[in-house]
Every structure is written in structure tokens, then in C-alpha cells.
Amino acid sequence: MKPLSKNIIISLLAILALVAIFSTYTLNTDQPEEISFGTLVEELQRGEISLVEIEGDAISVTLQDGALQKTQKESDVSLSESLINYGVSAEELKTANLTVKNKSGRAYFLGIILPSLLPLLLFIVIFWFMIKQMQGANKNAMSFGQSGAREVKDKKQKVTFKDVAGAKEAKEELQEVVEFLKNPKKFADLGAKLPKGVLLMGRPGTGKTLLARAVAGQADVPFFHISGSEFVEMFVGVGASRVRDLFSKAKKTAPCIIFIDEIDAVGRQRGAGLGGSHDEREQTLNQILVEMDGFDPNIGVIVIAATNRPDVLDPALLRPGRFDRRVVIDLPDINDREAILQIHAKNKPLTKEVNLRAVAQRTPGFSGADLGNLLNESAIRAARENRTEVTQEDVFDSIEKVLLGPERKSFVLSEEEKKVTAYHEAGHALVAHELPNCDPVHKISIISRGSAGGYTLKLPTEDRRLHKRAEFISDLSVLLGGFLTEQLVMGDVTTGASDDLKRCTQIAQELVTRYGMSEALGPRVFGEPEEMIFLGKEIHEKRNYSEKTAEAIDAEVDRLIHSAMDTARAILTEKRAMLDIIAKALLEKETLEKEDFEALFTKKS
């Protein structure tokens, strides 16, 4: 029952209750005076009465001054006889202006029957309401095993490939699915079978759900959307029942698309948890496998699933005949990012100075969802400052907000801490500027954002899929630049470099153990990440090397870090004057953009 209907029924019940309670009482404060029959006779003889109304045995009296009175007469005797018996003459009766009123059925109903009937009606309504509630509960209990898949029918929210920027290869792969759905006979005549399942794989926010909706919109077929976690309940067998119900609905509306988001919630590898192979999640997965094997390949039902963890899925899901196609959706490159920004900017008033290409250059590694959030934050910032258009400054500031968090204006540093932060960030920026394999510095700031007291933003000039060893080595020196600057200038170090040291250690370990970029240990991968699904998720490393090799790995990691320290220390010592200039500029302005930073080197030369 809808909330509005419930409110109406409750209001009606309250009104009926009030009527039932107060119907037996009169709310008229101007009550007639109760008098005896003898008093009526005396007033009549004195000529004080202007009107006498008789209704049954009740007598209503109106005096000459307008006052109201009431009394009763004998039941079996008329009023005239009673008055004559009390000594009233015929002339006095004529002046009384007697009027006889017949008691109507409506008055009898309102006065006698309705007050008794209302409580009964109230009880009947309450009883009916309780019965309806019980029927609704029974209905919900019967629908417990039904799937909660939502069918997208709104034509206004229809999504096609035009609404999806980038992902060219993924759209080309999915275009064949659209053709299958539009004209299955064309492929059946050649003996080609409709693909039963399509697995979309990609990082969070890359547009997997959007692409699935675009396939349905492009083919103009129904779209059933459900999350993998919605199948599983605490009761055994409910998930399998919901799978059966979902596929049953889909077959009735074929051709159509079933979209299962986060399929890894039910599709993880079987047989590794408590309960053997018969727990609820595994029964649900088994039912999905059976359903995908069971329906006619040319019936027109296609299952599209999305996950960002394809490595944990059960092999039975990935074999041919189940998910026949696997589509990888990568993070967008600079051209795709610009196209995505243009789509998200359609309903946002931007000033003419906003350069979306420049925004795309500053956002490597951003997913489509990140870019949508970026422009949304920009619009919020403009609205907060009571402006009607979004400026380039709004967008650039929002990039840093998405990356690092909002500005912490209330986080005020002391003069000493501010100086340490300025030199720390100046050290990062100076080392990055001097090393040839580093990305250019775009911005330096000592304004706190998120958990960072300050930050140095360096961005690549172009998207890169492959990274050279020299780039990693240079990054190690840049990360250590702040730590070494504190030692060089302040004579001591602070906790501000803790995150830099963590990232530096991680990069050095990956160079040795993952990328085979160590000259001493050679091109080999050390350690194999392994996942065990036991009471949740546990990841540990399976060691495939000896203790002696472990010591060699530690030694090589130390060598890489100390070599990077020597490189950074040499730059900071040689360019000490430039370091002071950058730190002084930061203390004065708090923020240096790329142009301001480059200008400092021009002035120095």
C-alpha cells in the first residue's frame, strides 16, 4: 500500500473516531433552560410566551424577550388538555401561538441511530484495514523468491552509443551484439549462434553500466538491471529461486538484455569456503550456470555482466557458451577524456575561457565517473560563490579537490611549520625540474588539502601505457627531494615525508620484484600474489624464492633508494640558491602555477 493511501485511511479513521465520541454530546453553548410544566403554565397566564413548539413529548418555548426554554408533557395527553387541566383558559391558549412539529426520520436517525452506529462502522473499517495489511504481508512472503530486477522502460532516459564517449573498441565489440538483437535471423541463416553472455571488465567508473544500457538502447530492447548481491539472502535456496524467476521474466520479454552488475558477488571461484560446495552463494552461481546453458541461443536473451575483479571469477563462468565475449574497458586517453568532458558539460553553463582540452591534459588516469564528478564539483563551487557560469579556475580547483580533497582553510600552520612545508615542496619541485625523465611541474602549493600539508602536482604531457626504468628512478629522487631538503635546510626531518617514503619504498620493491628492472637480480618476478576465500578475502604472497634471495632483494631495494638519494642530494646542493628562491616565493604566494614556477628560473638566469 502506498504511503499516501495509508495517510488518507489513518486520517479518515481519526475523523470517524472523533465523530463517534462527540456525536452523543451537543457542542452548542446556548442551551435552552429546563423548566417544569407548572412554570410553563404560569408564564402562559402572564402572557410572557411568544411561541410554543411541540415535537412529540418535547416542548420548546420562546419567550417575548427571545429566551429559550424546554419542558416535557405527559405522553398520552395532548398539550391543550394538559393546559386546560392546569386552569389555562381558552383565551390564554390562543395567545400561546401553539405549533405542532412532526418528528422526521432524518432527525431520528441523526439523534438516536447514528451515535450507536458510528462505533460499529469504525470497528469494521479498522478490521478491514488489518485484513488488508495481513494480505500484503502474505503477498510479500510469497514474492520472497522473486527477483528484484528492475526493467528500464523510460524512453526519456534512453541511452545509446552516442551518449558514451570514448571506449571505441568496446563499442565496436558490442555493436555486433546489437546486430544480433535487431536481426537474429541474419546470423542464424549462416549458422552463427547468438552470444549468451558478455563480460565487461574494467576499473570502477569506466562506464560498464552505461555501456550495457547503451546496448539495450541501441537495439531498442527491454533492459533488466540487477546487482549480484541482490541474489544472495540468509535463507538457502532463495538466490537460486531468484535466478530462475529472472530468466523466466526475460524469456517472456525476449529479445532483451539481463545486466548483472558486480557479478563477482556471486561468481567467485567455488569450493574454497566453509560449507563445502553447497552454501547459498554457490547454489546461486550454479543456477546461473544452468540457466545460461539451458535457454535457446537464438531466443534473444543476452546476459551482460560487469566486474572489476575478473581474476576471482569461477572458470565455469568464463568458458565458451557462458560468457562468450569479454570486453575490456580501459581508462580514457586524452582525446576520450575531452569527449567525456564535453558530454558532461552539456547542461552546465561554462564561460568562454574554459578549455576542456587543457582540463583533459590535467586529468590523466581519471575515469569517466571521475570526470563527471569533476565538472559537478566545478558547478557546485560556482553556485557556492553565487555565480551563473563555471570558470576555468573552478574546474582546475576541482581537479585538485578530486585528487587530494578540499582545502583545509581552518588548518593553520605555524610560521615554523609553514617554512618547513615550503622548503619540502620546493625540494620536490626543484628535483623534478632538473631531472630529464620527470613529468613537468604544473602546480606547487603549501595550502593543506585532505591529509596533505602541501603538494606538488606534476603531470605528463601525453598519455603513456608503458613506463621506462629511468622514469621510475627519477620518481624515486623526486619523492626523496622533500625529505632531503628538510635535512639540508632545517638540519632535521619531520613526519611530513612519511607518505613520500612509503611510495618510494613501494616503487623500489616493484622495480625489483615485479618489473625485472634490477641489474643485480635480473629479469625475474619474485613472489606470486595469491588469494584465498575463507571467511572473507585474504591475500598473501606465495614466496617462490629462498631466504638468501630475500636478502638480495632487500639489498637491491636499499641500493636503489640510496642511489636516488645521492642524485637528489647533488641537485639540491648545487641548486641551493634556486631552492631558497622557490621556497621564498611559496611563502609569499602560497601557490605557484606552472608559468610562475618556470618564470623563477628565467629570472635567475
Side-chain angles (χ1 to χ4, degrees):
M1 188 177 291
K2 293 182 179 179
L4 181 60
S5 302
K6 287 185 177 180
N7 292 335
I8 292 174
I9 290 175
I10 292 172
S11 302
L12 289 175
L13 290 176
I15 293 171
L16 286 173
L18 290 173
V19 172
I21 293 171
F22 291 106
S23 62
T24 56
Y25 302 95
T26 175
L27 300 178
N28 187 6
T29 57
D30 189 15
Q31 294 286 348
E33 181 186 358
E34 189 85 29
I35 61 173
S36 65
F37 194 79
T39 304
L40 172 64
V41 172
E42 293 175 0
E43 291 175 345
L44 188 61
Q45 291 174 341
R46 290 197 298 268
E48 297 175 356
I49 296 176
S50 65
L51 177 64
V52 176
E53 293 180 334
I54 307 164
E55 186 175 356
D57 293 337
I59 302 172
S60 300
V61 180
T62 303
L63 300 178
Q64 297 288 352
D65 59 1
L68 301 177
Q69 296 175 338
K70 66 178 181 178
T71 187
Q72 295 283 332
K73 72 176 184 64
E74 297 180 21
S75 299
D76 299 330
V77 182
S78 67
L79 180 60
S80 300
E81 291 179 16
S82 297
L83 291 174
I84 291 171
N85 291 337
Y86 272 83
V88 178
S89 64
E91 289 77 10
E92 290 172 339
L93 282 174
K94 291 180 181 179
T95 62
N97 193 13
L98 299 178
T99 303
V100 179
K101 294 176 64 179
N102 294 323
K103 194 166 186 179
S104 66
R106 180 181 177 187
Y108 180 77
F109 176 78
L110 293 175
I112 298 176
I113 298 178
L114 186 61
S116 303
L117 190 60
L118 277 176
L120 179 62
L121 291 173
L122 179 63
F123 175 76
I124 291 172
V125 171
I126 293 175
F127 184 74
W128 173 81
F129 181 70
M130 292 173 61
I131 292 295
K132 292 291 288 183
Q133 290 289 90
M134 292 173 62
Q135 289 177 348
N138 291 335
K139 184 179 179 182
N140 291 335
M142 295 298 292
S143 64
F144 193 63
Q146 296 179 3
S147 72
R150 297 166 294 281
E151 183 178 357
V152 180
K153 296 180 179 179
D154 192 353
K155 297 295 183 182
K156 294 181 180 178
Q157 296 181 354
K158 183 178 178 180
V159 179
T160 63
F161 286 152
K162 292 181 180 179
D163 302 308
V164 183
K168 299 179 184 65
E169 294 80 6
K171 286 192 286 188
E172 288 174 3
E173 192 77 14
L174 293 171
Q175 184 63 43
E176 293 183 11
V177 177
V178 174
E179 292 295 326
F180 267 115
L181 288 169
K182 282 185 173 181
N183 188 9
K185 187 176 181 301
K186 168 185 173 183
F187 296 90
D189 291 343
L190 294 172
K193 294 182 180 180
L194 190 71
K196 291 183 179 179
V198 178
L199 183 63
L200 303 179
M201 303 180 296
R203 297 187 187 182
T206 49
K208 298 183 289 295
T209 303
L210 187 65
L211 269 172
R213 288 188 60 184
V215 172
Q218 199 77 18
D220 198 20
V221 296
F223 178 77
F224 291 93
H225 176 261
I226 191 169
S227 171
S229 60
E230 293 181 53
F231 288 115
V232 182
E233 288 283 352
M234 63 180 291
F235 303 106
V236 176
V238 172
S241 174
R242 290 179 176 176
V243 171
R244 288 191 293 270
D245 181 69
L246 172 61
F247 278 86
S248 175
K249 287 180 181 177
K251 290 172 188 176
K252 292 176 183 177
T253 58
C256 68
I257 287 176
I258 297 174
F259 177 62
I260 305 176
D261 200 4
E262 303 295 346
I263 194 174
D264 49 276
V266 292
R268 285 173 176 263
Q269 190 167 352
R270 293 169 291 178
L274 290 179
S277 60
H278 299 288
D279 66 0
E280 171 62 2
R281 182 185 59 77
E282 293 189 3
Q283 285 196 29
T284 305
L285 174 58
N286 291 338
Q287 190 62 44
I288 292 175
L289 298 176
V290 170
E291 291 290 344
M292 292 188 72
D293 266 346
F295 62 81
D296 183 357
N298 292 318
I299 198 172
V301 177
I302 292 181
V303 183
I304 299 180
T307 181
N308 50 26
R309 293 294 311 279
D311 54 306
V312 302
L313 295 180
D314 193 277
L317 267 178
L318 305 178
R319 75 158 176 82
R322 299 269 171 66
F323 284 98
D324 304 274
R325 302 203 170 189
R326 275 163 268 177
V327 179
V328 178
I329 305 171
D330 291 323
L331 290 173
D333 59 20
I334 185 169
N335 295 321
D336 291 342
R337 290 197 299 273
E338 185 179 6
I340 293 171
L341 286 168
Q342 288 173 352
I343 289 178
H344 287 297
K346 283 182 180 178
N347 61 342
K348 294 177 178 63
L350 305 179
T351 59
K352 294 181 180 179
E353 65 173 357
V354 175
N355 185 350
L356 294 180
R357 183 71 179 184
V359 178
Q361 289 175 343
R362 285 200 175 200
T363 51
F366 274 46
S367 66
D370 292 331
L371 295 170
N373 183 41
L374 165 63
L375 287 185
N376 184 59
E377 290 289 348
S378 305
I380 291 173
R381 186 178 188 270
R384 190 168 58 242
E385 297 181 4
N386 298 319
R387 287 185 275 106
T388 57
E389 290 183 318
V390 179
T391 64
Q392 187 85 342
E393 182 183 355
D394 293 329
V395 182
F396 283 167
D397 182 78
S398 297
I399 293 174
E400 295 164 29
K401 184 177 181 180
V402 171
L403 284 172
L404 303 169
E407 286 187 3
R408 298 170 61 193
K409 295 181 180 179
S410 60
F411 186 72
V412 181
L413 296 173
S414 66
E415 290 300 320
E416 180 65 21
E417 289 176 332
K418 195 172 181 180
K419 182 179 179 182
V420 171
T421 304
Y423 270 98
H424 183 102
E425 299 304 330
H428 285 311
L430 179 59
V431 175
H433 182 270
E434 294 299 320
L435 290 175
N437 293 301
C438 280
D439 297 326
V441 175
H442 276 255
K443 188 173 183 178
I444 322 167
S445 177
I446 57 173
I447 299 175
S448 299
R449 278 189 179 272
S451 59
Y455 58 94
T456 299
L457 188 64
K458 56 188 189 70
L459 299 171
T461 54
E462 58 183 10
D463 290 313
R464 290 195 296 268
R465 302 287 180 182
L466 302 175
H467 297 274
K468 298 182 293 184
R469 181 179 183 275
E471 294 173 8
F472 288 118
I473 298 299
S474 296
D475 284 340
L476 290 177
S477 298
V478 174
L479 287 169
L480 293 167
F483 175 81
L484 292 170
T485 300
E486 292 182 16
Q487 276 188 339
L488 180 65
V489 178
M490 305 298 170
D492 201 354
V493 293
T494 67
T495 57
S498 58
D499 188 59
D500 297 331
L501 298 178
K502 179 181 176 181
R503 289 166 57 199
C504 180
T505 305
Q506 182 181 358
I507 290 174
Q509 287 177 337
E510 289 178 345
L511 280 171
V512 176
T513 60
R514 283 187 59 192
Y515 304 137
M517 294 182 176
S518 167
E519 296 176 356
L521 294 171
R524 179 182 164 186
V525 175
F526 297 93
E528 296 176 2
E530 190 176 65
E531 179 173 308
M532 287 186 62
I533 305 170
F534 182 78
L535 294 178
K537 177 177 126 180
E538 294 182 9
I539 297 179
H540 70 280
E541 184 183 76
K542 180 181 177 182
R543 291 184 61 169
N544 56 2
Y545 50 88
S546 64
E547 288 296 329
K548 183 178 180 181
T549 305
E551 293 178 4
I553 291 173
D554 289 340
E556 184 65 7
V557 169
D558 288 341
R559 189 191 68 78
L560 289 172
I561 292 175
H562 283 88
S563 175
M565 286 180 66
D566 293 339
T567 301
R569 186 181 288 109
I571 293 172
L572 294 171
T573 303
E574 182 182 352
K575 304 286 184 178
R576 173 59 194 271
M578 195 68 228
L579 179 67
D580 293 332
I581 291 173
I582 299 171
K584 183 180 178 181
L586 274 174
L587 288 170
E588 290 176 356
K589 299 182 179 180
E590 293 189 335
T591 298
L592 292 177
E593 292 289 345
K594 180 181 179 181
E595 296 76 14
D596 301 327
F597 178 66
E598 296 291 343
L600 295 177
F601 288 89
T602 305
K603 291 179 182 178
K604 181 69 169 57
S605 58

